[in-house]
Amino acid sequence: MAIISGCSTLKSQNNPEWKDLFNGKDIKDWNVKINHHEIGDNYGNTFRVEDGMIKVRYDQYGAYNNQYGHLYYKQPFSHYRLLVEYRITGEWKTDAPSYTISNSGIMFHSQDPKTMLKDQDWPISIEFQLLAGLDDGKPRPTGNMCSPGTDVIYEGKIDSRHCIDSKSKTYKKEEWVQAELIVLGDSLITHLINGDTVLQYSKPQIGGGVVNNFDPAIKLDGKLLKEGFIALQSEGQPVDFRKVRIMNLEKRIKTPQK
């Protein structure tokens, strides 16, 4: 398979090849799965639509209790460009794990949420990690890769780190950021932030650790991930998503000439 070519930024937000996954009105095309709850239980109204945005909030929670959540679009995808505009906002839930401060993510190539067990914390997936800077002033790039129950090939070999930092600059809380993925099935994956390529890796596959309380029949280590579901994350930090768009690249992949 040859890799498609094209510019890294959107030339037109009105390009008819782009499809809105979020309609700006509701999340009827999406499915919620929150740790310790059955699929479809939007505990505490975690994912809500207000002001034309998907908002992730915890104001109706009691204790956080590691209730990591994910909002899944209704169908899987394989070859595509995904564009998400997000901002880290609000007050972090103080009884969530400290690493979740100013931290959210977009999961992709995820297992079907219907295959997740009630007490499974994260889906087996690849995460496009979204971070905002902290008050310490240290660099904190966004658009990183994390690997719950997965592995990737980075710089020619499987990288044992759970997260691989991108080369993006640091963005502040309340700052809107454009995050883009170019996903070519089980081949090359590219992360872009505000139009700049910040990370590339390949051959996403099931493996590694971090995920807990999963169905062993689902975690087939070494299996390449050619497709999967896309999900927006809740992890203890409020976040807003005002745009979620996709371009299907299936028909744009150039096949090698024989």
Side-chain angles (χ1 to χ4, degrees):
M1 180 190 301
I3 297 172
I4 62 167
S5 61
C7 66
S8 62
T9 58
L10 296 176
K11 290 185 177 180
S12 172
Q13 295 287 345
N14 298 316
N15 186 324
E17 292 186 273
W18 287 94
K19 173 186 176 182
D20 288 312
L21 299 186
F22 170 52
N23 61 16
K25 301 176 182 179
D26 56 56
I27 50 175
K28 293 180 180 178
D29 289 332
W30 298 73
N31 297 306
V32 177
K33 176 63 181 78
I34 296 174
N35 188 26
H36 306 319
H37 301 273
E38 300 290 351
I39 185 171
D41 181 359
N42 188 13
Y43 172 77
N45 197 24
T46 303
F47 298 97
R48 61 190 73 167
V49 178
E50 296 174 348
D51 306 320
M53 296 179 283
I54 296 174
K55 295 187 175 183
V56 178
R57 297 293 187 271
Y58 312 93
D59 54 310
Q60 297 177 33
Y61 276 50
Y64 185 65
N65 191 29
N66 292 335
Q67 291 175 107
Y68 310 111
H70 298 86
L71 180 68
Y72 298 80
Y73 191 68
K74 64 184 179 181
Q75 73 180 73
F77 296 95
S78 177
H79 294 68
Y80 56 90
R81 289 174 67 172
L82 179 73
L83 176 75
V84 176
E85 292 182 359
Y86 76 93
R87 67 178 175 189
I88 304 295
T89 187
E91 296 300 320
W92 168 71
K93 195 166 188 333
T94 56
D95 60 335
S98 60
Y99 64 81
T100 66
I101 298 174
S102 293
N103 186 342
S104 189
I106 303 164
M107 322 306 279
F108 65 100
H109 274 356
S110 171
Q111 70 182 101
D112 187 329
K114 295 177 183 177
T115 67
M116 292 180 67
L117 301 185
K118 182 178 179 180
D119 294 318
Q120 182 174 338
D121 44 12
W122 290 281
I124 295 169
S125 58
I126 308 295
E127 179 183 354
F128 187 11
Q129 187 186 51
L130 310 177
L131 301 176
L134 302 177
D135 293 336
D136 59 12
K138 295 179 181 179
R140 199 176 192 226
T142 190
N144 307 319
M145 188 289 304
C146 295
S147 54
T150 52
D151 286 315
V152 301
I153 300 295
Y154 178 67
E155 295 184 341
K157 62 182 181 180
I158 289 181
D159 196 304
S160 62
R161 291 174 291 175
H162 171 52
C163 293
I164 301 173
D165 283 351
S166 81
K167 60 180 183 180
S168 88
K169 73 173 193 177
T170 301
Y171 294 88
K172 298 178 181 178
K173 279 180 63 178
E174 310 301 337
E175 190 170 359
W176 283 103
V177 181
Q178 178 179 284
E180 187 177 356
L181 276 170
I182 302 177
V183 179
L184 301 180
D186 61 2
S187 181
L188 183 67
I189 296 171
T190 304
H191 292 197
L192 302 98
I193 296 294
N194 287 342
D196 293 328
T197 297
V198 295
L199 184 64
Q200 284 189 318
Y201 50 91
S202 63
K203 296 196 181 329
Q205 57 196 272
I206 297 175
V210 179
V211 172
N212 299 291
N213 304 319
F214 54 83
D215 180 351
I218 300 297
K219 195 171 185 295
L220 304 175
D221 288 0
K223 179 182 178 181
L224 290 174
L225 293 171
K226 298 181 179 180
E227 65 174 16
F229 288 79
I230 293 167
L232 308 178
Q233 187 179 72
S234 68
E235 208 174 39
Q237 174 69 50
V239 58
D240 295 333
F241 299 95
R242 68 180 179 188
K243 185 173 292 183
V244 186
R245 312 188 83 185
I246 198 163
M247 178 188 290
N248 192 329
L249 299 178
E250 295 277 4
K251 296 181 180 179
R252 300 182 63 173
I253 301 298
K254 300 175 182 177
T255 55
Q257 303 224 345
K258 296 181 180 179

